């Protein structure tokens, strides 16, 4: 028994009357002479303490006071101590059946698993015989015993039947006693599950035939093409059908699904309603049929590049009559199997929240439900699953419970379970997150549906997740071109001779006289007929022109630029409101002084720093009616103790955000400190934004290089989602970046990776040098939400620059102007004589631009008549026109020099070099100043960093040629 079980279970609750009196007598003896008490009883006292002073459940509870007194003083009758030990042992046996019954359950369709050690389920292990158990009242052993069960033998027999059939339960890890008792009661109830009606059984068989015959038709008709068939876990489709029906009936308006490619085509057609004809067309016209590896055969299905058919998502409206009851969505997913999980969790949270009013969004978890379909090897093998399960109870991420289905075919590509996990079950990971688990035999259709009904009822009642481990097999190889007998000869010797689930279920129904062979044959003919008719219709349309999705675009759609400046009077009003506090709020004195400085920041001669500019941007965006959601590992305060958008009462620790009380706000504001995860959190925020495109969603890395961990989300979703799936997103990513001697792990946000992924105007990549630029860019991004122009924004956010006075901006810069992709640090109206003196143009971005400015500020300006500097604020899309206009100012230009603090093989140089060469005058060389190629991003020694940084700046400002531009040594 686990420590958890011991805390929640007392053996004394089963005893009353004379039996309890005997236990009390033995306890008194134990207190004075422990060795005089039987060893088994002594162990109970040591583990569970004293028995209650009065009988639990005894008739004395309802007796008159005089009767209770007489009962308490009456001496107990003669007690057989041996019988007491047998009762205790029988109770322990019952608990073991609940806890370990799954080890003996019939949940392996192939009978391939080695037999488990089930001694703990046997009466003999506890010294009990059938006669012993028959002599014990059932109520002393089993608290949920039905009236028809009279003694212990019947109780144990019935419990073994319940816990070792084709559905196996794991509930003992659930911490809440009420939940655990409810789950046990449902499993042990004679009325659960309710038997299927004749109509439901016939419909279930027809669905299984549709699932099987669809796969057979694809196999015969499109020979050699990959489809990642569902065969072996065919029940996945009826299971999803049942979940959709149940949660829609319970009031969910949106059902959001994520799954990998195994069985996806079958789910698309039967659960999402994608027509057979469309799927056949995608197979019929798919090029590259022989591509290796398995995720080959591409087709232009959506977006600009398209994606393979078994990665695509779909939507379906579930109707009852003319009324739409719910919308069902299957998310697009790449071959990174489980990475869609946090994305659909974000979909669901967005669907559950009302963001139309100021303050925190109002969540109603009944409005939307998440379904995640997992592979058995991937569920335990991919860390993104654990990260996503951790959302289960977190304030900023929970969604009222996700329904998890493990489509368990016992294999990972060619890898057996023994090589892919260290746990007994693929589902064991979920135990750590307090999630109930049911393992069910995929060849037992009615048991599968019973598990679904239990899961849906549990979620509805307790607002928590549930795992259904649907255990089947895989009829073919990983894809239909593989020969699985090369790697699993014994398993596939069994699979070859194993009947399909539709065959097994039809035989079961025929044996029960629930259906006739003629009716079964009619269902088969009807199913085949629908498939053939769809194929014939597809062939008939073969000559018609094909519609394609959105075509590739080389430029952003034209449109009037959004106004981002805000009148100074409005800014001042908002600024004062941001300094208001609720009555009785105790502000931290030191922080109060810091924030109060903002009161005069918009006055003439004063400046607005980075964090203040952000607060003003957020407030004005809310005033425009755009909701905001910001998350990151320390986003309430800000990693660099700069933001303080959520304040903590210094006396009560109660939280308060000025943006929640802002009178000008017309939409919600949410900020959440995230769990210590980048991948799942970023995936969640991306999903939230895709589902709620009108919401300004921001994810902030604690340090920019931490985004490394989330590379799959950047690669597969944020940078490419629009091209592959026409999936639009306006998510904003803040990645603190800058070389300040903090070592390899706290310097670079890996800017080069984002620039390498930049194409097709897929996003904006920026590295800013002023708070006003930040203000305008945030407002520009917010204005683009929900429009055709919307793109993700990747921003190299500052660290030390947050408080650098050179980054702060005057108030007029917020009330006038707009975001500028390039900031020339000189007047474009200089005289021709001044321009003709210029020999070198320095281009730089981000922090190094401020370093250059500081160096120039300490020098004599006349010494640098030959030099001009421009800051490239927007790196992608490349500001070709703006930079070319600057270059053309200088007829005598000899050098265009790109200055950066990152190593030459990192940062912006590789991206900027060919573009600068393309627009440079023929007589002007394009050169580089910065660190040489390196394998590590930065030095871990402050003195080395300082020396290198000094060299970079001095070389860039040296009038000699910079052909030899790399740090040596």
């Amino acid at each position: 028994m686990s420590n958890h079980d011991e805390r929640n279970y007392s053996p004394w609750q089963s005893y009353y009357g004379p039996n309890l009196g005997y236990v009390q007598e033995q306890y008194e003896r134990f207190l004075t002479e422990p060795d005089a008490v039987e060893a088994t009883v002594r162990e109970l006292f040591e583990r569970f303490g004293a028995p209650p002073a009065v009988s639990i459940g005894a008739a004395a509870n309802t007796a008159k006071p005089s009767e209770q007194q007489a009962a308490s003083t009456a001496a107990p009758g003669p007690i057989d101590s041996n019988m007491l030990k047998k009762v205790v042992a029988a109770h322990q046996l019952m608990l073991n059946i609940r806890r370990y019954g799954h080890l003996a359950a019939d949940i392996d369709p192939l009978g391939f698993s080695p037999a488990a050690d089930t001694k703990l389920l046997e009466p003999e292990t506890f010294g009990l015989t059938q006669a012993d158990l028959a002599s014990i009242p059932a109520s002393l052993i089993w608290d949920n015993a039905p009236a028809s069960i009279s003694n212990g033998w019947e109780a144990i027999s019935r419990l073994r039947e319940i816990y070792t059939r084709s559905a196996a339960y794991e509930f003992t890890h659930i911490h809440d006693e009420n939940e655990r008792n409810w789950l046990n009661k449902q499993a042990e109830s004679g009325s659960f599950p309710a038997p299927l009606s004749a109509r439901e059984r016939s419909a279930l068989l027809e669905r299984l035939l549709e699932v099987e015959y669809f796969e057979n038709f694809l196999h015969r008709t499109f020979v050699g093409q990959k489809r990642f068939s569902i065969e072996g876990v065919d029940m996945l489709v009826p299971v999803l059908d049942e979940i959709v029906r149940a949660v829609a009936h319970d009031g969910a308006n949106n059902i959001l699904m994520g799954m990998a490619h195994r069985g996806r085509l079958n789910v698309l057609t039967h659960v999402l309603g994608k027509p057979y004809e469309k799927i056949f067309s995608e197979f019929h016209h798919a090029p590259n049929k022989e591509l290796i590896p398995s995720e080959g055969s591409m087709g232009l299905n959506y977006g600009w590049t398209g994606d393979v058919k078994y990665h695509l998502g779909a939507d379906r409206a579930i109707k009852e009559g003319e009324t739409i009851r719910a919308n069902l969505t299957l998310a697009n997913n790449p071959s990174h199997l489980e990475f869609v999980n946090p994305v659909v969790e974000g979909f669901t949270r967005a669907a559950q929240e009302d963001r139309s009013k100021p303050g925190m969004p109002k969540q109603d978890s009944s409005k939307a439900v998440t379904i995640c379909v997992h592979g058995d090897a991937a569920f335990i093998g991919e860390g993104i699953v654990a990260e996503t399960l951790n959302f289960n109870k977190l304030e900023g991420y929970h969604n009222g419970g996700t329904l998890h289905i493990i489509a368990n075919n016992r294999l990972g590509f060619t890898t057996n379970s023994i090589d892919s996990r260290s746990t007994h079950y693929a589902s064991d990971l979920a135990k750590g997150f307090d999630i109930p688990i049911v393992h069910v035999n995929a060849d037992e259709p009615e048991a599968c549906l019973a598990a679904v009904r239990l899961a849906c009822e549990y979620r509805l009642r307790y607002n928590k997740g549930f795992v259904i481990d649907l255990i089947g097999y895989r009829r073919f190889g990983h894809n239909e071109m593989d020969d699985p007998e090369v790697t699993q000869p014994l398993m596939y010797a069994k699979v070859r001779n194993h009947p399909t689930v539709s065959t097994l279920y039809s035989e079961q129904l025929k044996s029960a006289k629930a259906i006739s062979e003629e009716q079964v044959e009619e269902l088969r003919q009807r199913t085949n007929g629908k498939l053939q008719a769809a194929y014939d219709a597809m062939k008939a349309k073969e000559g018609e022109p094909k519609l394609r999705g959105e075509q590739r675009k080389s430029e952003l759609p034209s449109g009037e630029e959004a106004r981002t400046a805000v009148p100074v009077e409005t800014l001042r009003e908002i600024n004062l409101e941001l300094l208001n506090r609720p009555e009785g709020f105790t502000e931290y004195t030191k922080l109060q002084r810091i924030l109060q400085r903002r009161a005069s920041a918009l006055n003439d001669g004063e400046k607005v720093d980075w964090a203040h500019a952000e607060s003003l941007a957020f407030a004005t965006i809310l005033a425009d009616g755009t909701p905001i959601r910001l998350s990151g590992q320390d986003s309430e305060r800000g990693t660099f103790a700069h933001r303080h958008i959520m304040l903590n009462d210094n006396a009560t620790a109660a939280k308060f955000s000025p943006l929640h009380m802002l009178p000008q706000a017309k939409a919600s504001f949410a900020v959440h400190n995230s769990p210590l995860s980048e991948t799942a959190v970023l995936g969640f925020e991306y999903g939230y934004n895709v589902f709620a495109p009108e919401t300004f969603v921001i994810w902030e890395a604690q340090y920019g290089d931490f985004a490394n961990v989330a590379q799959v989300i950047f690669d597969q979703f944020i940078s490419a989602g629009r091209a592959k799936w026409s999936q639009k997103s306006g998510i904003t990513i803040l990645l603190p970046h800058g070389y300040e001697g903090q070592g390899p792990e706290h310097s670079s946000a890996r800017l080069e990776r984002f620039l390498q992924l930049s194409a097709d105007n897929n996003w904006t990549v920026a590295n800013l040098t002023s708070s006003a630029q930040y203000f305008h860019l945030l407002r520009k991004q917010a204005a683009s939400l929900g429009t055709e122009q919307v793109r993700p924004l990747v921003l190299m956010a500052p660290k030390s620059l947050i408080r650098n006075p050179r980054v702060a901006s005057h108030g007029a810069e917020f009330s006038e102007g707009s975001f500028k992709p390039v900031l020339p640090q000189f007047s474009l109206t200089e005289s021709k004589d001044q321009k003709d003196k210029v020999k070198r143009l320095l281009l730089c971005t981000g922090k190094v631009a401020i370093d250059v400015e500081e160096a120039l500020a300490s020098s004599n300006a006349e010494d640098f008549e030959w030099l001009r500097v421009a800051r490239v604020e927007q790196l992608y899309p490349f500001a070709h026109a703006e930079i070319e206009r600057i270059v053309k100012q200088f007829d005598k230009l000899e050098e265009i020099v790109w200055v950066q603090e990152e190593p030459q093989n990192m940062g912006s140089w590789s991206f900027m070099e060919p573009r600068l060469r393309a627009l440079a005058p023929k007589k002007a060389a394009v050169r580089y100043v910065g660190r040489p190629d390196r394998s590590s991003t930065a030095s871990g020694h402050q003195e080395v960093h300082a020396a290198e940084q000094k060299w970079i700046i001095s070389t860039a400002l040296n009038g000699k040629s910079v052909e030899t531009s790399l740090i040596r040594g």
Side-chain angles (χ1 to χ4, degrees):
M1 183 181 295
S2 69
N3 290 334
H4 168 71
D5 293 332
E6 292 176 7
R7 288 196 304 271
N8 292 282
Y9 162 70
S10 170
W12 315 130
Q13 63 190 359
S14 300
Y15 300 97
Y16 54 87
N19 288 337
L20 181 59
Y22 173 76
V23 171
Q24 291 167 340
E25 178 186 281
Q26 291 296 304
Y27 185 69
E28 291 175 5
R29 192 173 181 185
F30 165 77
L31 293 176
T32 56
E33 299 179 82
D35 293 338
V37 179
E38 289 270 358
T40 54
V41 178
R42 184 169 67 244
E43 182 183 355
L44 290 174
F45 292 144
E46 290 170 347
R47 292 172 65 187
F48 299 104
V54 295
S55 169
I56 297 175
N61 289 335
T62 57
K64 297 176 183 178
S66 59
E67 294 173 341
Q68 290 182 6
Q69 184 177 3
S72 65
T73 57
I79 300 297
D80 182 352
S81 63
N82 190 48
M83 176 54 70
L84 174 62
K85 288 190 288 183
K86 292 184 185 300
V87 171
V88 172
H91 199 273
Q92 184 63 51
L93 175 60
M94 180 276 292
L95 292 176
N96 277 7
I97 291 172
R98 281 181 176 169
R99 187 177 186 194
Y100 302 116
H102 59 86
L103 296 174
D106 179 21
I107 55 174
D108 178 6
L110 298 179
F112 197 72
S113 300
D117 183 353
T118 57
K119 289 196 297 291
L120 288 174
L121 308 179
E122 304 298 335
E124 295 78 10
T125 302
F126 297 88
L128 295 170
T129 65
Q130 179 174 346
D132 292 334
L133 290 168
S135 67
I136 301 172
S139 59
L140 292 183
I141 299 174
W142 182 16
D143 47 359
N144 294 329
S148 60
I149 302 294
S150 61
N151 62 60
W153 175 254
E154 294 174 352
I156 293 299
S157 298
R158 176 64 179 144
L159 285 166
R160 283 206 56 156
E161 178 190 349
I162 289 169
Y163 283 97
T164 63
R165 54 191 176 186
S166 50
Y169 307 101
E170 288 197 273
F171 301 148
T172 56
H173 60 278
I174 301 301
H175 287 79
D176 187 280
E177 185 175 5
N178 291 328
E179 290 181 30
R180 195 169 60 252
N181 289 341
W182 182 86
L183 288 162
N184 287 332
K185 186 174 182 180
Q186 299 309 306
E188 296 163 13
S189 169
S191 60
F192 184 85
L196 299 184
S197 66
R199 184 181 59 81
E200 288 174 321
R201 285 178 160 184
S202 177
L204 175 54
L205 177 58
E206 182 170 12
R207 186 55 125 190
L208 288 171
L209 288 168
E210 288 173 343
V211 170
E212 180 182 334
Y213 283 27
F214 173 74
E215 298 288 357
N216 289 344
F217 191 89
L218 293 178
H219 197 63
R220 294 193 315 269
T221 309
F222 305 104
V223 177
Q225 289 205 43
K226 306 174 188 70
R227 66 181 193 278
F228 302 98
S229 84
I230 202 172
E231 292 161 282
V233 284
D234 307 49
M235 269 303 298
L236 176 61
V237 167
V239 160
L240 292 173
D241 286 338
E242 184 69 11
I243 292 176
V244 169
R245 182 203 61 77
V247 299
H249 184 268
D250 291 333
N253 303 123
N254 283 281
I255 305 164
L256 295 315
M257 287 178 55
M259 69 177 297
H261 49 269
R262 173 70 54 200
R264 192 179 183 94
L265 294 177
N266 219 305
V267 169
L268 278 169
T269 190
H270 292 123
V271 182
L272 276 296
K274 187 172 183 177
Y276 288 151
E277 186 178 332
K278 184 169 179 59
I279 289 179
F280 294 161
S281 177
E282 290 172 352
F283 271 97
H284 189 66
H285 299 287
N288 307 322
K289 296 178 185 178
E290 303 302 322
L291 281 185
I292 303 295
S294 55
E295 281 71 20
S297 53
M298 297 171 58
L300 286 175
N301 296 291
Y302 294 94
W304 311 325
T305 66
D307 201 353
V308 290
K309 48 194 166 289
Y310 35 76
H311 289 172
L312 302 178
D315 296 278
R316 170 191 164 203
I318 302 164
K319 295 186 178 182
E320 189 173 85
E322 295 301 312
T323 303
I324 295 178
R325 290 183 55 181
N327 290 297
L328 176 62
T329 300
L330 176 65
N332 303 296
N333 189 35
S335 283
H336 298 67
L337 308 177
E338 302 289 339
F339 283 79
V340 76
N341 295 347
V343 175
V344 294
E345 299 280 354
F347 283 1
T348 304
R349 181 64 179 252
Q352 292 173 348
E353 290 191 335
D354 178 1
R355 297 169 290 277
S356 62
K357 296 180 178 59
M360 287 291 288
K362 300 297 186 292
Q363 183 183 10
D364 180 354
S365 60
S366 69
K367 291 172 62 176
V369 176
T370 311
I371 305 171
C372 284
V373 181
H374 310 271
D376 52 299
F379 187 85
I380 195 71
E382 295 194 4
I384 188 67
V385 177
E387 290 187 29
T388 307
L389 290 175
N390 191 43
F391 291 153
N392 198 28
K393 295 181 180 179
L394 301 185
E395 181 62 31
Y397 306 89
H398 70 80
N399 62 15
T402 295
L403 298 173
H404 301 273
I405 304 163
I406 300 176
N408 191 339
N409 59 34
R410 321 279 297 284
L411 289 169
F413 203 159
T414 66
T415 304
N416 293 309
S417 298
I418 193 171
D419 297 313
S420 65
R421 66 172 187 259
S422 297
T423 57
H424 185 79
Y425 293 116
S427 59
D428 283 348
L429 175 67
K431 292 179 181 177
F433 297 94
D434 207 35
I435 300 174
I437 300 165
V438 174
H439 310 278
V440 62
N441 189 324
D443 274 359
E444 294 287 346
E446 295 188 21
C448 294
L449 296 192
V452 170
R453 292 174 182 179
L454 177 62
C456 293
E457 181 66 23
Y458 176 81
R459 183 196 181 275
L460 184 66
R461 179 179 290 262
Y462 295 108
N463 291 320
K464 287 177 60 181
F466 201 100
V467 171
I468 298 173
D469 184 15
L470 185 66
I471 302 175
Y473 56 92
R474 191 181 69 193
R475 187 157 289 276
F476 298 101
H478 174 66
N479 62 66
E480 288 65 35
M481 296 171 67
D482 284 339
D483 182 356
E485 294 200 39
V486 173
T487 49
Q488 279 81 28
L490 298 181
M491 177 182 288
Y492 278 90
K494 288 196 170 192
V495 170
R496 267 201 316 271
N497 300 309
H498 190 74
T500 64
V501 64
S502 71
T503 301
L504 293 170
Y505 191 52
S506 63
E507 291 302 317
Q508 180 183 331
L509 295 184
K510 285 189 289 183
S511 297
K513 309 295 185 191
I515 199 168
S516 66
E517 176 58 37
E518 291 74 19
Q519 290 171 307
V520 173
E521 185 58 31
E522 182 184 345
L523 290 176
R524 290 177 180 140
Q525 294 297 331
R526 188 162 69 212
T527 302
N528 262 329
K530 287 189 292 186
L531 290 162
Q532 189 61 49
Y535 181 76
D536 292 342
M538 180 273 295
K539 290 288 287 181
K541 296 177 182 177
E542 192 170 2
E544 297 179 7
K546 304 291 184 297
L547 293 176
R548 286 188 174 183
E550 184 179 354
Q551 295 301 304
R552 176 172 175 162
K553 299 175 177 63
S554 59
E555 297 294 336
L556 283 169
S558 60
E560 187 177 343
E561 190 80 6
R563 175 175 169 78
T564 57
V566 178
V568 69
E569 296 81 8
T570 302
L571 288 172
R572 284 177 175 154
E573 290 172 5
I574 286 174
N575 192 46
L576 291 176
E577 293 291 348
L578 292 175
L579 296 174
N580 285 338
R581 305 291 180 261
E583 186 176 349
F585 187 85
T586 307
E587 194 161 6
Y588 180 44
T589 306
K590 180 180 177 181
L591 180 59
Q592 183 182 34
R593 289 196 300 268
I594 293 171
L595 295 181
Q596 282 297 327
R597 293 175 195 154
R598 296 180 178 181
S600 60
L602 290 166
N603 295 345
D604 291 342
E606 300 291 333
K607 286 188 173 184
V608 175
D609 66 18
W610 187 273
H612 191 187
E614 181 186 75
S615 295
L616 291 172
F618 287 170
T620 56
I621 289 167
L622 293 174
D624 291 339
T626 299
I628 299 173
R629 177 183 167 94
L630 164 66
S631 84
Q633 284 161 18
D634 299 277
S635 289
E636 290 183 2
R637 188 200 75 167
T639 297
F640 308 103
H642 65 287
R643 177 173 292 124
H644 301 292
I645 207 73
M646 182 69 75
L647 304 176
N648 297 281
D649 190 297
N650 205 42
T652 66
K655 290 182 179 293
F656 155 73
S657 175
L659 292 175
H660 290 159
M661 292 181 59
L662 188 71
Q664 293 89 344
K666 300 184 183 70
S668 67
F669 174 76
V671 56
H672 297 288
N673 285 340
S674 73
L676 195 64
S677 158
E678 288 77 33
T679 311
V681 172
L682 179 58
F684 185 101
E685 303 304 343
Y686 171 78
Y688 194 108
N689 176 243
V690 167
F691 194 90
E694 81 291 349
T695 304
F696 191 17
V697 177
I698 305 167
W699 177 73
E700 178 179 54
Q702 189 180 69
Y703 283 90
D705 54 286
F706 292 1
N708 290 348
V709 183
Q711 200 63 46
V712 170
I713 303 298
F714 286 115
D715 290 352
Q716 303 299 329
F717 292 92
I718 298 176
S719 70
R722 188 172 184 131
K724 293 192 292 187
W725 312 314
S726 287
Q727 188 161 282
K728 300 179 180 67
S729 169
I731 189 171
T732 292
I733 313 294
L734 302 182
L735 305 176
H737 174 87
Y739 279 50
E740 289 132 341
Q742 295 188 27
E745 272 68 60
H746 285 13
S747 296
S748 175
R750 292 292 191 173
L751 172 58
E752 63 278 1
R753 294 182 181 173
F754 298 97
L755 293 175
Q756 186 181 38
L757 291 168
S758 296
D760 299 323
N761 285 301
N762 59 332
W763 55 19
T764 300
V765 181
N767 193 6
L768 310 182
T769 58
S770 86
S771 62
Q773 283 279 87
Y774 185 42
F775 174 87
H776 288 297
L777 186 56
L778 288 177
R779 287 185 47 77
K780 179 183 179 183
Q781 182 71 3
S784 74
L785 297 170
T787 71
E788 182 57 33
Q789 287 90 340
V790 71
R791 298 294 192 276
L793 169 62
V794 180
L795 184 61
M796 301 292 109
K799 297 184 297 179
S800 65
L801 296 191
I802 284 172
R803 294 179 176 83
N804 191 312
R806 294 186 182 278
V807 174
S809 303
H810 292 288
E813 296 179 68
F814 299 86
S815 58
E816 301 170 6
S818 60
F819 173 72
K820 304 298 181 186
V822 181
L823 291 178
Q825 300 301 288
F826 55 87
S827 171
L828 294 177
T829 59
E830 291 176 337
S831 68
K832 187 175 188 307
D833 287 343
Q834 288 174 308
K835 293 177 182 178
D836 284 348
K837 293 178 182 177
V838 175
K839 306 299 181 186
R840 180 186 301 169
L841 173 64
L842 282 188
L843 296 177
C844 43
T845 186
K847 178 185 167 295
V848 77
I850 302 300
D851 294 343
V852 169
E853 179 184 316
E854 288 178 341
L856 288 172
S858 63
S859 305
N860 188 343
E862 293 181 0
D863 294 339
F864 291 96
E865 292 180 336
W866 54 273
L867 176 73
R868 293 295 181 270
V869 179
R871 303 176 186 175
V872 181
E873 304 277 290
Q874 177 180 295
L875 295 160
Y876 186 83
F878 178 64
H880 185 282
E882 291 86 349
I883 296 175
E884 186 175 46
R885 185 163 56 248
I886 291 171
V887 169
K888 286 183 176 179
Q889 299 282 317
F890 310 112
D891 292 337
K892 309 294 185 181
L893 193 66
E894 297 176 1
E895 293 178 310
I896 298 174
V897 177
W898 180 258
V899 183
Q900 70 177 38
E901 53 192 357
E902 304 89 349
Q904 189 172 15
N905 57 324
M906 302 177 195
S908 313
W909 170 243
S910 295
F911 176 82
M912 297 296 293
E913 180 189 14
R915 291 164 174 81
L916 294 178
R917 292 194 186 283
L919 58 76
K922 289 184 179 180
K923 61 179 179 289
V926 175
R927 292 175 175 145
Y928 166 86
V929 171
R931 290 173 171 84
D933 288 356
R934 284 186 175 155
S935 58
S936 178
T937 54
S939 171
H941 301 288
Q942 178 66 44
E943 62 277 12
V944 174
H945 160 77
E948 290 180 342
Q949 205 75 0
K950 182 179 179 180
W951 183 93
I952 290 171
I953 302 305
S954 62
T955 303
L957 301 182
N958 191 317
K960 297 178 181 178
S961 172
V962 296
E963 286 186 67
T964 306
S965 57
L966 301 179
I967 296 170
R968 300 300 180 189

